């Protein structure tokens, strides 16, 4: 659908008044999972900051902690 298009997502962010949007994903490889996050400026489409964390895939609570740490890193760096 058009909402999966990056340009459409940023347009939706602008329409809702968002200045920044958070995008991310994860990838598993063997016993590990990597979480990648990007903080994007809705006006320019530029990546303001990014972060990643890699943890063991065996425990879902590790995934959640890694996501929280990666999110915190987005806002801590640059200050």
């Amino acid at each position: 659908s058009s909402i999966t298009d990056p340009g459409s997502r940023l347009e939706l962010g602008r329409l809702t008044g968002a200045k920044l949007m958070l995008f991310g994903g994860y990838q598993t490889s063997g016993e590990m999972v990597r979480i990648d996050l990007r903080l994007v400026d809705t006006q320019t489409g530029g990546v303001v900051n990014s972060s990643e964390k890699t943890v063991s895939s065996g425990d879902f609570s590790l995934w959640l902690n890694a996501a929280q740490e990666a999110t915190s890193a987005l806002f801590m760096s640059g200050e």
Side-chain angles (χ1 to χ4, degrees):
S1 85
S2 64
I3 196 67
T4 60
D5 173 61
S8 296
R9 292 184 300 212
L10 291 176
E11 181 64 23
L12 178 62
R14 284 190 291 271
L15 290 173
T16 62
K19 294 180 182 179
L20 299 170
M21 290 185 74
L22 179 65
F23 297 97
Y26 70 94
Q27 177 180 359
T28 58
S29 178
E31 299 294 317
M32 304 301 287
V33 63
R34 177 179 163 147
I35 298 170
D36 294 288
L37 299 176
R38 295 179 322 279
L39 192 61
V40 177
D41 182 313
T42 60
Q43 296 302 310
T44 66
V47 175
V48 174
N49 203 356
S50 64
S51 67
E52 66 86 16
K53 293 289 179 184
T54 303
V55 295
S56 171
S57 63
D59 184 350
F60 188 68
S61 65
L62 292 176
W63 291 36
L64 296 176
N65 288 336
Q68 184 176 12
E69 289 174 13
T71 302
S72 294
L74 285 177
F75 296 100
M76 293 304 235
S77 61
E79 284 186 12

